[in-house]
Amino acid sequence: METTRPLGRSGIEVSALGFGCWAIGGEWQAADGQPLGWGKVDDEESVRAVRRALDLGVTFFDTADTYGAGHSERVLGRALGKRRADVVVATKWGNVFDEDTRTLTGGDDSPAHLRRALTASLRRLGSDYVDLYQFHLSDADIEQAALLRDECEKLVGEGLIRAYAWSTDDPARAAVFAQGPHCAAVQHALNVLQDAPAMLKLCEEAGLASINRSPLAMGLLTGKRRDGQPLEAGDIRSRPPAWLQGFSDGSGADPEWLARVDALRDVLTSDGRTLAQGALAWLWARSPRTIPIPGFRSVAQAEQNAGALEKGALTGAQLAEVDRLLGR
């Protein structure tokens, strides 16, 4: 397997594995106190983990302005430092938040907010451009999104961003952005337990990269979660929002999801892979356009995730075996 992949039709090359920077933003919350982070973090360890990933060939980092209410961008910017030009940075806009209280306060899909948010992200990242700028409101109005797409084209012309994308699980919405010449990708949920054939079809037809969030199913595919295992209070999975699958009541991972993981364990851990590496290998085998972005909070997690690159993609036979085991 090639260890790099094209970022859609942008002409930008990225490592076939990206790193998702949601968790390193630390704790933040919704206005009602709902946790939106993954618990406490050690910023120094986050910086070490990013730099270790760079040493191991990872060149694509995905964050968002709202992760940790600006904190993830700051940590990533500090970690990259003078190596900013060696990497491809993706961030997102659309959410409104209070940095002081680390609270999400709403959303704003206006073109004026798009520019304000970009200016703020560039400042936090310590950069004068963003490689891939992604709209973060997954179910925004389609007509409004067309205006934002056109505004993104202007930002490309001004050299402030190189390409753009929508983070959405709706192919019809993603297709609206795809009409713009500098739209390079769609970010959507995809993992071995949750396939997305309609979105992959759009990516193929429109020449987009498929950036895969939840590639390890919010931790279910790391092999570390157990039925009834409690979660720390600041962890989003302890009070899961409606869209978060596999942790329905907040008491830990759902037994039926864990049973599916167990059914796949042998095929995913073949060829000396860890379970997480096998889950990433499935994504690479699923389509030549996929770029999974697992999260990380430690150097050890960075090393394990990056280690999947050496092992490469599953074979066609293994891909078929996964479908058979899941009854797809």
Side-chain angles (χ1 to χ4, degrees), residues 296-327:
F296 65 99
R297 278 195 283 185
S298 67
V299 171
Q301 286 174 326
E303 289 174 342
Q304 187 192 176
N305 289 343
L309 281 167
E310 294 161 45
K311 310 262 189 204
L314 293 184
T315 64
Q318 289 169 323
L319 208 58
E321 176 68 358
V322 165
D323 282 341
R324 187 188 70 76
L325 289 166
L326 291 176

PDB file of all heavy atoms in Angstrom, residues 296-327:
ATOM      1  N   PHE A 296      -5.951  10.662  19.498  1.00  0.00           N
ATOM      2  CA  PHE A 296      -4.805  10.227  20.308  1.00  0.00           C
ATOM      3  C   PHE A 296      -4.676  11.179  21.484  1.00  0.00           C
ATOM      4  O   PHE A 296      -5.089  12.330  21.410  1.00  0.00           O
ATOM      5  CB  PHE A 296      -3.510  10.255  19.477  1.00  0.00           C
ATOM      6  CG  PHE A 296      -3.126  11.642  19.051  1.00  0.00           C
ATOM      7  CD1 PHE A 296      -2.162  12.361  19.742  1.00  0.00           C
ATOM      8  CD2 PHE A 296      -3.776  12.275  17.986  1.00  0.00           C
ATOM      9  CE1 PHE A 296      -1.843  13.663  19.380  1.00  0.00           C
ATOM     10  CE2 PHE A 296      -3.462  13.575  17.618  1.00  0.00           C
ATOM     11  CZ  PHE A 296      -2.489  14.269  18.327  1.00  0.00           C
ATOM     12  N   ARG A 297      -4.111  10.669  22.574  1.00  0.00           N
ATOM     13  CA  ARG A 297      -3.819  11.532  23.722  1.00  0.00           C
ATOM     14  C   ARG A 297      -2.435  11.273  24.288  1.00  0.00           C
ATOM     15  O   ARG A 297      -2.046  11.904  25.254  1.00  0.00           O
ATOM     16  CB  ARG A 297      -4.858  11.339  24.831  1.00  0.00           C
ATOM     17  CG  ARG A 297      -6.123  12.126  24.608  1.00  0.00           C
ATOM     18  CD  ARG A 297      -6.954  12.195  25.872  1.00  0.00           C
ATOM     19  NE  ARG A 297      -7.665  10.953  26.129  1.00  0.00           N
ATOM     20  CZ  ARG A 297      -8.531  10.798  27.125  1.00  0.00           C
ATOM     21  NH1 ARG A 297      -8.774  11.795  27.952  1.00  0.00           N
ATOM     22  NH2 ARG A 297      -9.142   9.650  27.308  1.00  0.00           N
ATOM     23  N   SER A 298      -1.712  10.318  23.693  1.00  0.00           N
ATOM     24  CA  SER A 298      -0.406   9.963  24.251  1.00  0.00           C
ATOM     25  C   SER A 298       0.552   9.558  23.139  1.00  0.00           C
ATOM     26  O   SER A 298       0.135   9.222  22.026  1.00  0.00           O
ATOM     27  CB  SER A 298      -0.561   8.795  25.222  1.00  0.00           C
ATOM     28  OG  SER A 298      -0.945   7.625  24.507  1.00  0.00           O
ATOM     29  N   VAL A 299       1.829   9.558  23.454  1.00  0.00           N
ATOM     30  CA  VAL A 299       2.852   9.102  22.514  1.00  0.00           C
ATOM     31  C   VAL A 299       2.591   7.635  22.152  1.00  0.00           C
ATOM     32  O   VAL A 299       2.704   7.238  20.985  1.00  0.00           O
ATOM     33  CB  VAL A 299       4.266   9.268  23.117  1.00  0.00           C
ATOM     34  CG1 VAL A 299       5.320   8.588  22.250  1.00  0.00           C
ATOM     35  CG2 VAL A 299       4.593  10.758  23.265  1.00  0.00           C
ATOM     36  N   ALA A 300       2.200   6.820  23.139  1.00  0.00           N
ATOM     37  CA  ALA A 300       1.941   5.397  22.879  1.00  0.00           C
ATOM     38  C   ALA A 300       0.823   5.214  21.851  1.00  0.00           C
ATOM     39  O   ALA A 300       0.931   4.374  20.943  1.00  0.00           O
ATOM     40  CB  ALA A 300       1.594   4.684  24.182  1.00  0.00           C
ATOM     41  N   GLN A 301      -0.259   5.992  21.983  1.00  0.00           N
ATOM     42  CA  GLN A 301      -1.356   5.899  21.004  1.00  0.00           C
ATOM     43  C   GLN A 301      -0.891   6.378  19.630  1.00  0.00           C
ATOM     44  O   GLN A 301      -1.254   5.798  18.606  1.00  0.00           O
ATOM     45  CB  GLN A 301      -2.554   6.732  21.474  1.00  0.00           C
ATOM     46  CG  GLN A 301      -3.313   6.090  22.622  1.00  0.00           C
ATOM     47  CD  GLN A 301      -4.407   7.004  23.163  1.00  0.00           C
ATOM     48  OE1 GLN A 301      -4.265   8.226  23.178  1.00  0.00           O
ATOM     49  NE2 GLN A 301      -5.486   6.415  23.617  1.00  0.00           N
ATOM     50  N   ALA A 302      -0.088   7.429  19.611  1.00  0.00           N
ATOM     51  CA  ALA A 302       0.442   7.927  18.338  1.00  0.00           C
ATOM     52  C   ALA A 302       1.264   6.844  17.650  1.00  0.00           C
ATOM     53  O   ALA A 302       1.142   6.621  16.439  1.00  0.00           O
ATOM     54  CB  ALA A 302       1.294   9.173  18.577  1.00  0.00           C
ATOM     55  N   GLU A 303       2.080   6.148  18.414  1.00  0.00           N
ATOM     56  CA  GLU A 303       2.929   5.102  17.838  1.00  0.00           C
ATOM     57  C   GLU A 303       2.105   3.934  17.331  1.00  0.00           C
ATOM     58  O   GLU A 303       2.371   3.397  16.249  1.00  0.00           O
ATOM     59  CB  GLU A 303       3.955   4.636  18.883  1.00  0.00           C
ATOM     60  CG  GLU A 303       5.019   5.691  19.150  1.00  0.00           C
ATOM     61  CD  GLU A 303       5.971   5.346  20.282  1.00  0.00           C
ATOM     62  OE1 GLU A 303       5.641   4.453  21.099  1.00  0.00           O
ATOM     63  OE2 GLU A 303       7.043   5.983  20.349  1.00  0.00           O
ATOM     64  N   GLN A 304       1.074   3.551  18.093  1.00  0.00           N
ATOM     65  CA  GLN A 304       0.254   2.428  17.648  1.00  0.00           C
ATOM     66  C   GLN A 304      -0.502   2.770  16.362  1.00  0.00           C
ATOM     67  O   GLN A 304      -0.535   1.986  15.413  1.00  0.00           O
ATOM     68  CB  GLN A 304      -0.739   1.981  18.724  1.00  0.00           C
ATOM     69  CG  GLN A 304      -1.457   0.714  18.282  1.00  0.00           C
ATOM     70  CD  GLN A 304      -2.669   0.306  19.096  1.00  0.00           C
ATOM     71  OE1 GLN A 304      -3.319  -0.655  18.748  1.00  0.00           O
ATOM     72  NE2 GLN A 304      -2.977   1.002  20.162  1.00  0.00           N
ATOM     73  N   ASN A 305      -1.104   3.951  16.343  1.00  0.00           N
ATOM     74  CA  ASN A 305      -1.854   4.355  15.145  1.00  0.00           C
ATOM     75  C   ASN A 305      -0.935   4.449  13.934  1.00  0.00           C
ATOM     76  O   ASN A 305      -1.242   3.927  12.855  1.00  0.00           O
ATOM     77  CB  ASN A 305      -2.557   5.694  15.380  1.00  0.00           C
ATOM     78  CG  ASN A 305      -3.729   5.595  16.352  1.00  0.00           C
ATOM     79  OD1 ASN A 305      -4.229   4.507  16.627  1.00  0.00           O
ATOM     80  ND2 ASN A 305      -4.150   6.722  16.884  1.00  0.00           N
ATOM     81  N   ALA A 306       0.206   5.117  14.102  1.00  0.00           N
ATOM     82  CA  ALA A 306       1.139   5.277  12.985  1.00  0.00           C
ATOM     83  C   ALA A 306       1.683   3.925  12.523  1.00  0.00           C
ATOM     84  O   ALA A 306       1.991   3.736  11.340  1.00  0.00           O
ATOM     85  CB  ALA A 306       2.280   6.212  13.376  1.00  0.00           C
ATOM     86  N   GLY A 307       1.776   2.972  13.451  1.00  0.00           N
ATOM     87  CA  GLY A 307       2.262   1.635  13.112  1.00  0.00           C
ATOM     88  C   GLY A 307       1.384   0.911  12.109  1.00  0.00           C
ATOM     89  O   GLY A 307       1.829  -0.034  11.439  1.00  0.00           O
ATOM     90  N   ALA A 308       0.138   1.354  11.988  1.00  0.00           N
ATOM     91  CA  ALA A 308      -0.778   0.733  11.020  1.00  0.00           C
ATOM     92  C   ALA A 308      -0.305   0.970   9.587  1.00  0.00           C
ATOM     93  O   ALA A 308      -0.588   0.167   8.690  1.00  0.00           O
ATOM     94  CB  ALA A 308      -2.189   1.288  11.209  1.00  0.00           C
ATOM     95  N   LEU A 309       0.403   2.080   9.358  1.00  0.00           N
ATOM     96  CA  LEU A 309       0.871   2.405   7.996  1.00  0.00           C
ATOM     97  C   LEU A 309       1.793   1.313   7.447  1.00  0.00           C
ATOM     98  O   LEU A 309       1.698   0.940   6.282  1.00  0.00           O
ATOM     99  CB  LEU A 309       1.599   3.744   7.986  1.00  0.00           C
ATOM    100  CG  LEU A 309       0.731   5.001   7.997  1.00  0.00           C
ATOM    101  CD1 LEU A 309       1.584   6.235   8.298  1.00  0.00           C
ATOM    102  CD2 LEU A 309      -0.015   5.183   6.677  1.00  0.00           C
ATOM    103  N   GLU A 310       2.681   0.804   8.296  1.00  0.00           N
ATOM    104  CA  GLU A 310       3.610  -0.228   7.841  1.00  0.00           C
ATOM    105  C   GLU A 310       2.875  -1.509   7.452  1.00  0.00           C
ATOM    106  O   GLU A 310       3.286  -2.219   6.534  1.00  0.00           O
ATOM    107  CB  GLU A 310       4.596  -0.598   8.963  1.00  0.00           C
ATOM    108  CG  GLU A 310       5.556   0.478   9.368  1.00  0.00           C
ATOM    109  CD  GLU A 310       6.122   0.172  10.760  1.00  0.00           C
ATOM    110  OE1 GLU A 310       6.500  -1.001  11.013  1.00  0.00           O
ATOM    111  OE2 GLU A 310       6.183   1.101  11.578  1.00  0.00           O
ATOM    112  N   LYS A 311       1.804  -1.818   8.175  1.00  0.00           N
ATOM    113  CA  LYS A 311       1.080  -3.069   7.934  1.00  0.00           C
ATOM    114  C   LYS A 311       0.187  -2.992   6.691  1.00  0.00           C
ATOM    115  O   LYS A 311      -0.145  -4.015   6.103  1.00  0.00           O
ATOM    116  CB  LYS A 311       0.216  -3.416   9.151  1.00  0.00           C
ATOM    117  CG  LYS A 311       0.966  -3.359  10.462  1.00  0.00           C
ATOM    118  CD  LYS A 311       1.421  -4.717  10.908  1.00  0.00           C
ATOM    119  CE  LYS A 311       1.978  -4.658  12.317  1.00  0.00           C
ATOM    120  NZ  LYS A 311       2.908  -5.742  12.597  1.00  0.00           N
ATOM    121  N   GLY A 312      -0.205  -1.767   6.323  1.00  0.00           N
ATOM    122  CA  GLY A 312      -0.983  -1.591   5.102  1.00  0.00           C
ATOM    123  C   GLY A 312      -2.437  -2.024   5.209  1.00  0.00           C
ATOM    124  O   GLY A 312      -2.973  -2.215   6.303  1.00  0.00           O
ATOM    125  N   ALA A 313      -3.067  -2.164   4.045  1.00  0.00           N
ATOM    126  CA  ALA A 313      -4.504  -2.443   3.950  1.00  0.00           C
ATOM    127  C   ALA A 313      -4.801  -3.930   4.073  1.00  0.00           C
ATOM    128  O   ALA A 313      -3.947  -4.775   3.804  1.00  0.00           O
ATOM    129  CB  ALA A 313      -5.032  -1.926   2.617  1.00  0.00           C
ATOM    130  N   LEU A 314      -6.027  -4.256   4.465  1.00  0.00           N
ATOM    131  CA  LEU A 314      -6.487  -5.644   4.410  1.00  0.00           C
ATOM    132  C   LEU A 314      -6.550  -6.093   2.953  1.00  0.00           C
ATOM    133  O   LEU A 314      -6.621  -5.276   2.033  1.00  0.00           O
ATOM    134  CB  LEU A 314      -7.878  -5.774   5.036  1.00  0.00           C
ATOM    135  CG  LEU A 314      -8.042  -5.526   6.536  1.00  0.00           C
ATOM    136  CD1 LEU A 314      -9.489  -5.815   6.947  1.00  0.00           C
ATOM    137  CD2 LEU A 314      -7.077  -6.349   7.369  1.00  0.00           C
ATOM    138  N   THR A 315      -6.571  -7.384   2.741  1.00  0.00           N
ATOM    139  CA  THR A 315      -6.722  -7.934   1.386  1.00  0.00           C
ATOM    140  C   THR A 315      -8.206  -7.962   0.999  1.00  0.00           C
ATOM    141  O   THR A 315      -9.090  -7.836   1.851  1.00  0.00           O
ATOM    142  CB  THR A 315      -6.197  -9.376   1.336  1.00  0.00           C
ATOM    143  OG1 THR A 315      -7.033 -10.180   2.209  1.00  0.00           O
ATOM    144  CG2 THR A 315      -4.750  -9.469   1.783  1.00  0.00           C
ATOM    145  N   GLY A 316      -8.470  -8.166  -0.276  1.00  0.00           N
ATOM    146  CA  GLY A 316      -9.850  -8.297  -0.743  1.00  0.00           C
ATOM    147  C   GLY A 316     -10.571  -9.445  -0.060  1.00  0.00           C
ATOM    148  O   GLY A 316     -11.754  -9.341   0.291  1.00  0.00           O
ATOM    149  N   ALA A 317      -9.867 -10.540   0.170  1.00  0.00           N
ATOM    150  CA  ALA A 317     -10.472 -11.701   0.838  1.00  0.00           C
ATOM    151  C   ALA A 317     -10.841 -11.362   2.284  1.00  0.00           C
ATOM    152  O   ALA A 317     -11.905 -11.768   2.782  1.00  0.00           O
ATOM    153  CB  ALA A 317      -9.507 -12.885   0.815  1.00  0.00           C
ATOM    154  N   GLN A 318      -9.967 -10.603   2.948  1.00  0.00           N
ATOM    155  CA  GLN A 318     -10.264 -10.202   4.335  1.00  0.00           C
ATOM    156  C   GLN A 318     -11.435  -9.232   4.389  1.00  0.00           C
ATOM    157  O   GLN A 318     -12.275  -9.296   5.299  1.00  0.00           O
ATOM    158  CB  GLN A 318      -9.011  -9.576   4.971  1.00  0.00           C
ATOM    159  CG  GLN A 318      -7.913 -10.599   5.257  1.00  0.00           C
ATOM    160  CD  GLN A 318      -6.591  -9.945   5.629  1.00  0.00           C
ATOM    161  OE1 GLN A 318      -6.224  -8.905   5.081  1.00  0.00           O
ATOM    162  NE2 GLN A 318      -5.868 -10.547   6.561  1.00  0.00           N
ATOM    163  N   LEU A 319     -11.511  -8.361   3.404  1.00  0.00           N
ATOM    164  CA  LEU A 319     -12.636  -7.420   3.305  1.00  0.00           C
ATOM    165  C   LEU A 319     -13.951  -8.191   3.170  1.00  0.00           C
ATOM    166  O   LEU A 319     -14.945  -7.899   3.858  1.00  0.00           O
ATOM    167  CB  LEU A 319     -12.419  -6.525   2.082  1.00  0.00           C
ATOM    168  CG  LEU A 319     -13.010  -5.120   2.059  1.00  0.00           C
ATOM    169  CD1 LEU A 319     -12.528  -4.281   3.221  1.00  0.00           C
ATOM    170  CD2 LEU A 319     -12.674  -4.431   0.736  1.00  0.00           C
ATOM    171  N   ALA A 320     -13.960  -9.213   2.306  1.00  0.00           N
ATOM    172  CA  ALA A 320     -15.152 -10.040   2.098  1.00  0.00           C
ATOM    173  C   ALA A 320     -15.511 -10.805   3.368  1.00  0.00           C
ATOM    174  O   ALA A 320     -16.692 -10.974   3.707  1.00  0.00           O
ATOM    175  CB  ALA A 320     -14.918 -11.008   0.940  1.00  0.00           C
ATOM    176  N   GLU A 321     -14.491 -11.258   4.091  1.00  0.00           N
ATOM    177  CA  GLU A 321     -14.720 -11.999   5.339  1.00  0.00           C
ATOM    178  C   GLU A 321     -15.386 -11.111   6.393  1.00  0.00           C
ATOM    179  O   GLU A 321     -16.291 -11.550   7.116  1.00  0.00           O
ATOM    180  CB  GLU A 321     -13.378 -12.544   5.850  1.00  0.00           C
ATOM    181  CG  GLU A 321     -13.435 -13.262   7.183  1.00  0.00           C
ATOM    182  CD  GLU A 321     -14.185 -14.593   7.163  1.00  0.00           C
ATOM    183  OE1 GLU A 321     -14.728 -14.983   6.105  1.00  0.00           O
ATOM    184  OE2 GLU A 321     -14.255 -15.225   8.225  1.00  0.00           O
ATOM    185  N   VAL A 322     -14.973  -9.841   6.467  1.00  0.00           N
ATOM    186  CA  VAL A 322     -15.606  -8.898   7.396  1.00  0.00           C
ATOM    187  C   VAL A 322     -17.094  -8.757   7.071  1.00  0.00           C
ATOM    188  O   VAL A 322     -17.954  -8.816   7.960  1.00  0.00           O
ATOM    189  CB  VAL A 322     -14.896  -7.519   7.340  1.00  0.00           C
ATOM    190  CG1 VAL A 322     -15.752  -6.443   8.003  1.00  0.00           C
ATOM    191  CG2 VAL A 322     -13.526  -7.602   8.008  1.00  0.00           C
ATOM    192  N   ASP A 323     -17.416  -8.567   5.780  1.00  0.00           N
ATOM    193  CA  ASP A 323     -18.823  -8.444   5.387  1.00  0.00           C
ATOM    194  C   ASP A 323     -19.615  -9.696   5.748  1.00  0.00           C
ATOM    195  O   ASP A 323     -20.758  -9.618   6.213  1.00  0.00           O
ATOM    196  CB  ASP A 323     -18.940  -8.173   3.880  1.00  0.00           C
ATOM    197  CG  ASP A 323     -18.648  -6.718   3.535  1.00  0.00           C
ATOM    198  OD1 ASP A 323     -18.714  -5.871   4.453  1.00  0.00           O
ATOM    199  OD2 ASP A 323     -18.350  -6.416   2.370  1.00  0.00           O
ATOM    200  N   ARG A 324     -18.999 -10.867   5.553  1.00  0.00           N
ATOM    201  CA  ARG A 324     -19.671 -12.122   5.877  1.00  0.00           C
ATOM    202  C   ARG A 324     -19.955 -12.193   7.387  1.00  0.00           C
ATOM    203  O   ARG A 324     -21.064 -12.534   7.817  1.00  0.00           O
ATOM    204  CB  ARG A 324     -18.819 -13.306   5.438  1.00  0.00           C
ATOM    205  CG  ARG A 324     -19.501 -14.671   5.576  1.00  0.00           C
ATOM    206  CD  ARG A 324     -18.548 -15.821   5.310  1.00  0.00           C
ATOM    207  NE  ARG A 324     -17.539 -15.981   6.348  1.00  0.00           N
ATOM    208  CZ  ARG A 324     -17.772 -16.532   7.562  1.00  0.00           C
ATOM    209  NH1 ARG A 324     -18.990 -16.944   7.876  1.00  0.00           N
ATOM    210  NH2 ARG A 324     -16.791 -16.639   8.423  1.00  0.00           N
ATOM    211  N   LEU A 325     -18.950 -11.854   8.192  1.00  0.00           N
ATOM    212  CA  LEU A 325     -19.096 -11.935   9.650  1.00  0.00           C
ATOM    213  C   LEU A 325     -20.159 -10.970  10.168  1.00  0.00           C
ATOM    214  O   LEU A 325     -20.836 -11.255  11.171  1.00  0.00           O
ATOM    215  CB  LEU A 325     -17.753 -11.643  10.326  1.00  0.00           C
ATOM    216  CG  LEU A 325     -16.681 -12.726  10.170  1.00  0.00           C
ATOM    217  CD1 LEU A 325     -15.311 -12.193  10.561  1.00  0.00           C
ATOM    218  CD2 LEU A 325     -17.036 -13.962  11.012  1.00  0.00           C
ATOM    219  N   LEU A 326     -20.303  -9.824   9.508  1.00  0.00           N
ATOM    220  CA  LEU A 326     -21.290  -8.830   9.952  1.00  0.00           C
ATOM    221  C   LEU A 326     -22.641  -9.010   9.241  1.00  0.00           C
ATOM    222  O   LEU A 326     -23.576  -8.245   9.488  1.00  0.00           O
ATOM    223  CB  LEU A 326     -20.753  -7.411   9.707  1.00  0.00           C
ATOM    224  CG  LEU A 326     -19.576  -6.990  10.585  1.00  0.00           C
ATOM    225  CD1 LEU A 326     -19.071  -5.617  10.186  1.00  0.00           C
ATOM    226  CD2 LEU A 326     -19.932  -7.012  12.065  1.00  0.00           C
ATOM    227  N   GLY A 327     -22.722  -9.985   8.373  1.00  0.00           N
ATOM    228  CA  GLY A 327     -23.974 -10.235   7.654  1.00  0.00           C
ATOM    229  C   GLY A 327     -24.370  -9.136   6.702  1.00  0.00           C
ATOM    230  O   GLY A 327     -25.534  -8.815   6.526  1.00  0.00           O
TER     231      GLY A 327
END
